[in-house]
Amino acid sequence: MTETHEIVVEKVKESKIGNIDFDNLTFGKTFTDHMLECTWRNGNWENPVIKPYGPIMMEPSAKVFHYGQAIFEGMKAFRDEDDNVFLFRPEDNWKRFNESAKRLAMPEVPEEIFMYGLKKLVDLDREWVRYGDGLSLYLRPFMIASENGVAAAPSTEYKFMVVMSPAFAYYRGDVRVIIASQFSRAADGGIGYAKAAGNYAASFYPNNLALEEGYQQIIWTDAASHEYLEEAGTMNIFVRIGDKLLTAPNNDRILNGVTRRSVIQLAQDKGIEVEVRKISVAEVKEAAESGELKEIFGTGTAAVIVPIKGFKHEEYTHELPVLNDSYASDIKESIKDIHYNRVEDKHGWRVKV
Amino acid sequence: MTETHEIVVEKVKESKIGNIDFDNLTFGKTFTDHMLECTWRNGNWENPVIKPYGPIMMEPSAKVFHYGQAIFEGMKAFRDEDDNVFLFRPEDNWKRFNESAKRLAMPEVPEEIFMYGLKKLVDLDREWVRYGDGLSLYLRPFMIASENGVAAAPSTEYKFMVVMSPAFAYYRGDVRVIIASQFSRAADGGIGYAKAAGNYAASFYPNNLALEEGYQQIIWTDAASHEYLEEAGTMNIFVRIGDKLLTAPNNDRILNGVTRRSVIQLAQDKGIEVEVRKISVAEVKEAAESGELKEIFGTGTAAVIVPIKGFKHEEYTHELPVLNDSYASDIKESIKDIHYNRVEDKHGWRVKV
C-alpha cells in the first residue's frame, strides 16, 4: 500500500471524549472527534482530509437527496488488554465497498485512501476504542453523490467519508422475526447484494409492521416465490437443523457478509458441518415441528451474532428452544476472542492499527 | 384547503434572474431565487419557510446518507400567453408523494403545506416561468431523512423541501432503448411504485452499460421472468400495435405516472382504443416482424412524451417506422395545448397559481 494521496490532518482544539458516558451509549448517536472526507471531482480523487467531526454543506439539489447514490460499510475497531487497537478483516470491507460502488455507478475508492485513511483516522481517535466485552469503535465509511442538479443521471461528484461511533452491543433484548411472505427487499438483477442506502429505506415500512406485531426483524425471502430464506436486512441468517448449520448462498439479492464468512469458517474449524444452500421456509417449519430445528441466528458487523428467539410465517409461529450447546454462543465467543486478541489469529483477520 | 401552518417568507435581496440564459438551459442545473423548507420533528410538521435558494447544513450521520429515506415528485408550472401561471394536476403529485412517504416509512405531508406552499413558492418566483413551446418551470418537491445517527431504523426527523428549475425539453436527440433481460429495477413486494431515490440509483449502472452500446434508456421487464414490459425508470411506456395503444397496468413495481394517466385519457378522448394490460416482449417482437408495431413512446413529467426510435432485446434489434399519423406527436400536442392554456380544460387538470 503506497501513499500517493497526502492526507491533510486538522485536529480538534479540544477532545470531547471527557463528556462521553461510555457505559450508556446509544448505538450510532455519538461520534468521535474526527472524520475523514475525500472528494471525487473531474474524474479523480482529491487528497483526503481528516478534520473535526461536524456538519457538511450540501446543495438541496445534490444528487444523493434525489437519486439515492449512497453506499456504506460497517466495520469495527477493537482494543486488547495491552492497548493495541485492531481492525477486523478491513480489506474485505474495502473490496465490498467497491463492488457496491460499481453497481451504483459510483467511482471505486483506492485502497490507499480507504485503508490508509481509515487507519490514520482510527489511530488519531484511538482513545475512543475502549477495552471490554462488547465494546468497540464502530466505523462507518460511506460515499454520497454530491453533484448539484436534478437530472436523473449518475453524479459527476462524490464525497467519500468515514465517521466513527463508540459502540456497545447493537441489540438488547429478545429478537423474534417474521419470515416475509408479501414484501420483498431485493430483486434478481437488482442491488440487494450491494450495501446501498436504498435497500435499507425499502425495509423500514415492512419492519414497522413487524414491530407492531411484536417482531423486531424480518427474514426476507426471494421476491419471486417467497419460498426461500434470504437475509434479514441488517444481518445474514443461519439455521441449525440437527447438528448441521445452513445459510443461503450469495447471489445478487443477498449481502456477502464478512461476519457470515467468518462464522462459516469458525464453524468449520470447530468440526460443524456447514451447508451453504437454498433453505426453504417449508423445510424450516418441518424441522420446527419435528424438533430438529435447534437455532436460528443472524450475523453482521453491528450485531456480531444475534440469536433468534422465535419466528412467525403467515399464521404459523414457533419459539426456538434454549440450548446449553448453542452454536451461536460458541461461535460468538470465538469471534470475540479474535476481536479482542485473546487467541491466535489463525486466519489472519486482525489488522493492527 | 386551510392554512394552519403559517409560511414564513424571507425574500432574496436581489433576483439572479437577469443572469439566466433561458435559451440555453441544461435540465435541472439552474434554480430559481427561492426554495421551501419544512421540518418534521417530535411528530409534527413545523411551519414551512420560503427562503433564498442555497446550501443546507447536514450532519454526515444524517440518515438520508446511510439508509436512503428520500422521495420526490416531478411537476411543472406553465405560463400562458396572458401571463397566467398554471400547475398541471398537482393534487395527483401530492397524493403520490404521500404514497411514497408511507412505503418509505416517512411522515405524510399535509395538503396545506404541499399545495399551498408550492403555490406560494411558484407565485413568488413566477417570473421564472416563461412562455414558449417546451418552456416550463420544473418543480421538485422532495423529502429527506435528517435525523443524525447511523442505527438502521427510520429517521425521527425529516426535511420536506421544494426547489424549482426553469426547463426546456428534457431529451434532445434520438432515444433508443434496450429491453432488459438481466438487470431489474424493482421486485414484487418492493418499492418500485414509489418515487424513491433508491430506485434511480439502482438503474444507473445498467443504464451506463446501455449507453455504451448506443442506447439511451432501458425498458425494464419484470424481475421474475423478464418477459413483460414494465417502465423505463424515468418514464412509463406505451406501445402502439396496429391502431391499439397498450400500456402495462399499475402494480407495486411500476410508478403510477400522472402523464401516463393523462395520455390514456387523451387517447380515449380521441377515440383511440387503449388496453391497460401486460405486454410481453415476445408480442412486441412479433408485432415488429409483422409490421404491426407502429410506435413505442415514453411518458413522464420531465420528458412529457418521448418517441422511441428503436429497441434492442438480447440480440434482436428493430427500428421503429417514421409515421405521419403518430399517436405520440398527436397526444403530445394535446397535452401541451392544455399545459399552455390553449384549449378548454375538459378534465379540470389545470390549477391556476
Side-chain angles (χ1 to χ4, degrees):
Chain A
M1 196 160 61
T2 56
E3 189 200 350
T4 60
H5 284 91
E6 193 195 341
I7 301 183
V8 180
V9 179
E10 181 203 334
K11 288 190 192 174
V12 291
K13 293 200 175 75
E14 193 178 358
S15 174
K16 63 193 173 198
I17 197 167
N19 306 326
I20 308 301
D21 179 0
F22 281 89
D23 295 325
N24 289 290
L25 293 167
T26 301
F27 184 85
K29 285 303 265 187
T30 303
F31 294 89
T32 66
D33 289 325
H34 299 92
M35 65 182 187
L36 181 140
E37 185 177 336
C38 189
T39 300
W40 193 83
R41 190 180 281 144
N42 300 322
N44 289 298
W45 287 105
E46 300 179 351
N47 284 341
V49 179
I50 289 176
K51 59 184 180 184
Y53 177 90
I56 53 177
M57 297 277 271
M58 301 284 288
E59 291 252 346
S61 68
K63 295 223 175 189
V64 64
F65 297 140
H66 303 269
Y67 303 120
Q69 277 186 298
I71 59 171
F72 68 93
E73 277 298 323
M75 308 168 68
K76 279 180 175 170
F78 302 93
R79 177 182 289 259
D80 73 6
E81 272 188 312
D82 301 321
D83 290 338
N84 299 300
V85 171
F86 297 95
L87 304 176
F88 183 74
R89 308 187 77 173
E91 295 236 344
D92 293 35
N93 295 91
W94 167 62
K95 284 176 188 158
R96 187 173 61 186
F97 191 78
N98 281 341
E99 285 166 17
S100 298
K102 188 178 170 194
R103 183 60 182 84
L104 276 289
M106 303 168 85
E108 296 185 22
V109 176
E111 186 171 11
E112 55 166 342
I113 292 177
F114 190 101
M115 295 293 293
Y116 185 82
L118 199 62
K119 282 186 183 172
K120 193 152 183 155
L121 182 64
V122 171
D123 189 41
L124 185 63
D125 282 347
R126 61 190 299 129
E127 288 311 310
W128 292 77
V129 196
R130 292 299 166 110
Y131 178 69
D133 203 54
L135 287 173
S136 65
L137 184 63
Y138 182 80
L139 318 177
R140 173 55 61 95
F142 66 105
M143 181 174 13
I144 54 178
S146 53
E147 183 194 345
N148 308 322
V150 296
S155 182
T156 59
E157 291 184 17
Y158 296 89
K159 277 185 199 295
F160 169 67
M161 301 188 71
V162 185
V163 296
M164 310 198 297
S165 176
F168 193 64
Y170 191 83
Y171 289 102
R172 305 178 191 205
D174 291 350
V175 175
R176 286 179 177 75
V177 298
I178 288 183
I179 298 177
S181 54
Q182 182 195 352
F183 289 105
S184 311
R185 178 182 167 274
D188 268 327
I191 63 168
Y193 72 90
K195 226 165 159 59
N199 289 334
Y200 295 79
S203 74
F204 290 158
Y205 174 69
N207 210 78
N208 279 352
L209 297 180
L211 284 169
E212 284 171 18
E213 287 193 67
Y215 295 85
Q216 288 71 40
Q217 293 259 306
I218 290 173
I219 297 182
W220 299 101
T221 48
D222 64 297
S225 75
H226 293 295
E227 286 178 19
Y228 296 96
L229 303 190
E230 306 231 294
E231 56 148 282
T234 58
M235 306 187 293
N236 291 109
I237 290 292
F238 287 77
V239 177
R240 175 183 174 185
I241 295 181
D243 289 334
K244 232 183 259 180
L245 197 54
L246 312 176
T247 193
N250 291 322
N251 58 35
D252 57 8
R253 302 183 306 271
I254 301 180
L255 191 79
N256 183 0
V258 176
T259 310
R260 173 185 173 279
R261 282 202 303 284
S262 307
V263 166
I264 292 171
Q265 182 64 59
L266 292 173
Q268 287 170 338
D269 290 354
K270 291 170 190 292
I272 296 169
E273 190 181 347
V274 182
E275 284 186 9
V276 179
R277 64 161 172 84
K278 286 168 83 172
I279 307 163
S280 75
V281 181
E283 178 182 10
V284 172
K285 285 160 81 172
E286 275 165 35
E289 285 306 287
S290 72
E292 285 295 289
L293 179 66
K294 303 294 185 191
E295 297 177 69
I296 302 176
F297 57 86
T299 66
T301 292
V304 189
I305 294 184
V306 178
I308 308 296
K309 301 280 183 186
F311 71 87
K312 181 179 182 190
H313 177 253
E314 292 170 347
E315 296 311 308
Y316 182 85
T317 60
H318 182 78
E319 286 286 300
L320 275 297
V322 178
L323 302 179
N324 291 322
D325 64 339
S326 153
Y327 287 176
S329 303
D330 187 23
I331 298 169
K332 185 171 185 176
E333 283 310 305
S334 297
I335 290 193
K336 281 160 57 177
D337 285 344
I338 299 172
H339 286 163
Y340 295 113
N341 191 22
R342 299 191 289 231
V343 295
E344 185 199 345
D345 180 22
K346 281 202 303 183
H347 299 290
W349 290 343
R350 281 193 300 262
V351 172
K352 199 171 171 184
V353 174
Chain B
M1 195 159 63
T2 57
E3 189 199 352
T4 61
H5 285 90
E6 193 195 342
I7 302 183
V8 180
V9 179
E10 181 202 333
K11 287 190 192 176
V12 292
K13 293 202 178 74
E14 192 178 0
S15 172
K16 63 193 174 200
I17 197 167
N19 307 323
I20 308 300
D21 178 359
F22 281 89
D23 295 325
N24 289 290
L25 294 167
T26 302
F27 183 85
K29 286 301 264 186
T30 303
F31 294 89
T32 64
D33 288 325
H34 300 92
M35 64 183 187
L36 181 141
E37 185 177 336
C38 189
T39 299
W40 193 85
R41 188 182 283 145
N42 301 323
N44 288 299
W45 287 106
E46 300 180 351
N47 283 341
V49 179
I50 289 176
K51 59 185 180 183
Y53 177 91
I56 52 178
M57 296 278 272
M58 300 284 287
E59 291 253 346
S61 68
K63 296 222 176 190
V64 63
F65 297 140
H66 302 269
Y67 303 120
Q69 276 185 299
I71 59 170
F72 68 92
E73 276 298 325
M75 306 168 70
K76 280 181 174 170
F78 302 91
R79 177 182 287 260
D80 74 4
E81 270 188 314
D82 300 321
D83 290 338
N84 300 299
V85 171
F86 298 94
L87 303 176
F88 183 73
R89 309 187 76 171
E91 295 237 341
D92 292 34
N93 295 92
W94 167 63
K95 285 176 188 160
R96 187 173 63 186
F97 191 78
N98 282 341
E99 286 166 16
S100 298
K102 188 178 171 194
R103 183 59 182 85
L104 277 289
M106 303 167 84
E108 296 184 23
V109 177
E111 185 172 12
E112 54 167 341
I113 292 177
F114 191 101
M115 295 293 293
Y116 186 81
L118 198 63
K119 281 186 188 174
K120 193 152 180 152
L121 182 64
V122 171
D123 189 40
L124 187 62
D125 283 346
R126 62 190 298 128
E127 287 311 310
W128 293 78
V129 195
R130 292 298 165 109
Y131 178 68
D133 202 55
L135 288 172
S136 65
L137 184 64
Y138 183 79
L139 318 177
R140 173 54 63 93
F142 66 104
M143 183 177 7
I144 53 177
S146 53
E147 182 194 346
N148 307 322
V150 296
S155 182
T156 60
E157 291 184 17
Y158 296 89
K159 275 185 201 294
F160 168 67
M161 300 188 71
V162 184
V163 296
M164 310 197 295
S165 177
F168 195 62
Y170 191 84
Y171 290 103
R172 305 181 190 203
D174 290 351
V175 175
R176 286 178 177 77
V177 297
I178 287 182
I179 299 177
S181 53
Q182 181 195 354
F183 290 105
S184 311
R185 178 183 167 274
D188 267 327
I191 62 168
Y193 73 88
K195 225 164 159 62
N199 288 334
Y200 295 79
S203 74
F204 289 159
Y205 174 68
N207 210 78
N208 278 353
L209 298 180
L211 284 169
E212 284 171 18
E213 288 192 67
Y215 294 85
Q216 288 71 40
Q217 293 261 307
I218 290 173
I219 295 181
W220 300 100
T221 48
D222 65 297
S225 73
H226 293 296
E227 284 178 18
Y228 296 95
L229 302 190
E230 307 230 297
E231 55 147 284
T234 57
M235 304 188 292
N236 290 110
I237 289 292
F238 286 80
V239 177
R240 175 181 174 187
I241 295 181
D243 289 333
K244 231 182 263 179
L245 196 54
L246 312 177
T247 193
N250 290 323
N251 58 35
D252 56 8
R253 302 182 308 270
I254 300 180
L255 190 79
N256 184 1
V258 177
T259 310
R260 171 185 174 279
R261 282 202 303 284
S262 307
V263 166
I264 291 171
Q265 182 65 59
L266 292 174
Q268 287 170 338
D269 290 353
K270 291 171 190 291
I272 297 169
E273 189 181 348
V274 182
E275 285 185 11
V276 178
R277 64 161 172 85
K278 288 168 82 173
I279 308 162
S280 75
V281 181
E283 178 183 10
V284 172
K285 285 160 81 171
E286 273 164 36
E289 286 305 287
S290 73
E292 285 294 288
L293 179 67
K294 303 294 185 191
E295 296 178 66
I296 303 176
F297 56 89
T299 65
T301 293
V304 190
I305 293 184
V306 178
I308 308 295
K309 299 283 184 182
F311 71 86
K312 182 180 182 187
H313 177 254
E314 293 170 347
E315 296 311 306
Y316 182 85
T317 59
H318 182 78
E319 287 286 301
L320 275 297
V322 178
L323 302 179
N324 290 323
D325 63 338
S326 154
Y327 287 176
S329 303
D330 186 23
I331 298 169
K332 185 170 186 177
E333 283 310 304
S334 297
I335 290 194
K336 282 160 55 178
D337 285 343
I338 298 172
H339 286 163
Y340 296 112
N341 191 21
R342 299 189 289 230
V343 293
E344 186 200 345
D345 179 23
K346 282 201 303 182
H347 300 291
W349 290 343
R350 279 193 302 260
V351 172
K352 199 172 171 184
V353 175

